[in-house]
């Protein structure tokens, strides 16, 4: 079903989809790395040769870069950029775990979640933004337990999942870290994740 998200600047709704984990189809089906052609699949090719785990590939808005998260045996986990032909693979910023990677519409910033130790024994996940040109990282949130961020098409808001005791819910926050708002109110034991804005910004798809 659909959940009204109230006084957002558009008539927006949140849709649950148990079959979709990251909802990339919702944004741009033409940019999936594997494209179905009738009953056949196009041949795949490797863009990276780094080993261990490379995940969360995201095309830049103009299609000139692919941002991805990287983990190997010899380097600190990081966010990297690579051209669609596999060239110019470069380090952008270190990343201490976390989930989600999303471009702002102008292609200047990447938003992601990262784990952070608090008071020596507590680990919380919070939102970060990294400048694509300079690699400078700034904190968007503190202590929110936030994960799976996705930036709105107008670049003003971020939808994310937040763990709250016996459940997880969807929230909105401004790109500046202000105006945190609840989108969903779920029953005990409900888990939500992988929210993604539609191209028009009037709906949000999420797994439940």
């Amino acid at each position: 079903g659909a959940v009204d998200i109230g006084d957002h600047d558009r008539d927006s709704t949140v849709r649950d989809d148990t079959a979709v984990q990251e909802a990339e189809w919702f944004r741009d089906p033409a940019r999936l790395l594997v494209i179905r052609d009738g009953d056949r699949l196009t041949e795949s090719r490797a863009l990276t040769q780094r080993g261990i785990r490379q995940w969360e590939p995201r095309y830049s808005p103009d299609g000139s870069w692919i941002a991805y998260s990287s983990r190997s045996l010899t380097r600190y986990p990081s966010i990297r950029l690579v051209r669609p032909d596999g060239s110019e693979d470069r380090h952008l910023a270190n990343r201490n775990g976390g989930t989600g990677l999303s471009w702002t519409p102008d292609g200047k910033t990447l938003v992601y979640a990262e784990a952070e130790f608090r008071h020596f024994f507590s680990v919380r996940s919070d939102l970060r933004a990294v400048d694509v040109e300079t690699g400078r990282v700034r904190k968007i949130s503190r202590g929110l337990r936030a994960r799976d961020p996705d930036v709105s098409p107008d670049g003003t808001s971020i939808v994310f999942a937040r763990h709250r005791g016996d459940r997880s819910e969807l929230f909105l926050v401004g790109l500046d870290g202000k105006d945190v708002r609840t989108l969903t109110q779920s029953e005990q034991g409900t888990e939500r994740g992988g929210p993604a804005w539609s191209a028009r910004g009037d709906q949000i798809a999420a797994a439940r």
Side-chain angles (χ1 to χ4, degrees):
V3 181
D4 189 356
I5 66 172
D7 60 353
H8 192 52
D9 57 355
R10 295 184 178 86
D11 181 19
S12 303
T13 55
V14 178
R15 293 189 180 277
D16 298 321
D17 191 333
T18 56
V20 178
Q21 295 301 312
E22 293 185 349
E24 275 298 296
W25 59 271
F26 203 61
R27 187 185 353 263
D28 190 350
R31 284 188 172 171
L32 290 174
L33 293 182
V34 178
I35 304 171
R36 183 171 293 279
D37 179 16
D39 293 329
R40 299 175 300 165
L41 293 177
T42 58
E43 293 184 7
S44 62
R45 58 186 176 86
L47 295 182
T48 62
Q49 303 289 335
R50 307 190 63 80
I52 307 301
R53 188 183 183 202
Q54 319 304 316
W55 78 105
E56 297 181 322
R58 300 289 185 269
Y59 268 99
S60 62
D62 65 1
S64 63
W65 289 101
I66 297 172
Y68 69 99
S69 298
S70 175
R71 180 177 296 162
S72 69
L73 292 176
T74 58
R75 297 178 183 272
Y76 199 84
S78 64
I79 296 171
R80 301 185 65 86
L81 296 174
V82 65
R83 295 292 188 184
D85 64 1
S87 66
E88 299 183 51
D89 191 340
R90 67 179 178 90
H91 173 275
L92 180 61
N94 288 341
R95 181 181 189 177
N96 187 30
T99 60
L101 191 60
S102 179
W103 292 84
T104 54
D106 60 11
K108 295 180 178 180
T109 305
L110 281 160
V111 174
Y112 60 100
E114 182 178 56
E116 182 177 80
F117 286 95
R118 295 169 59 86
H119 308 298
F120 300 104
F121 61 87
S122 177
V123 179
R124 301 282 179 87
S125 180
D126 272 299
L127 303 181
R128 305 282 185 263
V130 57
D131 186 290
V132 172
E133 182 176 352
T134 66
R136 180 178 177 271
V137 176
R138 66 176 176 87
K139 296 183 178 182
I140 296 176
S141 69
R142 297 177 185 270
L144 274 187
R145 300 179 186 268
R147 57 184 174 85
D148 302 343
D150 192 54
V151 181
S152 62
D154 63 8
T156 62
S157 301
I158 303 167
V159 62
F160 63 95
R162 181 183 184 185
H163 183 69
R164 305 195 72 182
D166 60 359
R167 73 202 71 186
S168 63
E169 304 287 4
L170 300 184
F171 283 75
L172 278 180
V173 66
L175 197 62
D176 58 3
K178 299 178 181 179
D179 301 323
V180 179
R181 292 195 288 133
T182 306
L183 293 186
T184 59
Q185 296 284 348
S186 307
E187 298 178 354
Q188 181 178 354
T190 300
E191 294 290 331
R192 298 178 185 270
W197 292 91
S198 66
R200 293 185 300 179
D202 58 349
Q203 292 184 327
I204 295 170
R208 189 175 94 168

